[in-house]
C-alpha cells in the first residue's frame, strides 16, 4: 500500500526551474517515498525533518535533498533544496 504524498507550495516552487532529468529524479524520489522503498535515498535527519538524497545536483551524493515529515500514512514534502545543509 502506498503512502499519500502532499507537496507544499514551497516544494512545488522549488522545482519550477529544474531540468527534465532533475524533475524525473524528483518524481522518482517521491515514488520511492510513497512506496516505502527508500533504498538509495540515504534518508537522514535534518533537525526535526527527514531528508532524502535527490540525485542530479553535483557529483557523488550531490547537494539535492527532498525535505519531508511523515504523519501517519501521509508524507508531507516541505521543501526541495539544492544547497546541502550540514546536520
Amino acid at each position: 500500500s502506498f503512502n499519500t504524498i502532499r507537496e507544499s507550495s514551497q516544494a512545488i516552487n522549488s522545482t519550477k526551474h529544474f531540468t527534465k532529468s532533475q524533475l524525473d529524479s524528483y518524481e522518482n524520489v517521491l515514488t520511492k517515498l510513497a512506496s516505502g522503498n527508500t533504498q538509495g535515498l540515504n534518508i537522514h535527519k535534518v533537525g526535526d525533518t527527514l531528508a532524502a538524497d535527490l540525485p542530479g545536483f553535483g557529483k557523488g551524493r550531490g547537494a539535492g535533498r527532498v525535505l519531508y515529515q511523515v504523519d501517519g500514512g501521509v508524507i508531507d514534502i516541505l521543501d526541495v533544496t539544492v544547497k546541502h545543509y550540514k546536520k
Side-chain angles (χ1 to χ4, degrees), residues 2-7 68-77:
F2 275 62
N3 292 305
T4 301
I5 298 282
R6 204 164 43 196
E7 291 176 273
Y68 69 99
Q69 291 176 325
V70 181
D71 182 11
V74 178
I75 296 173
D76 281 307
I77 307 297

Side-chain angles (χ1 to χ4, degrees), residues 12-31:
I12 292 166
N13 286 338
S14 295
T15 61
K16 281 193 170 143
H17 64 280
F18 282 11
T19 64
K20 171 143 183 17
S21 66
Q22 290 167 339
L23 273 176
D24 288 347
S25 177
Y26 175 62
E27 291 295 331
N28 185 45
V29 170
L30 295 189
T31 300

Side-chain angles (χ1 to χ4, degrees), residues 7 9-11 15 17 22 25 31 33 47 50 53-54 56 59 61-62 64 71-72 75 79 82-83 87:
E7 291 176 273
S9 55
Q10 188 169 341
T15 61
H17 64 280
Q22 290 167 339
S25 177
T31 300
L33 290 174
L50 292 167
D53 285 2
L54 178 60
K59 292 185 170 139
R61 284 178 50 210
D71 182 11
I75 296 173
D79 200 3
V82 295
K83 296 186 195 96
K87 289 181 216 170

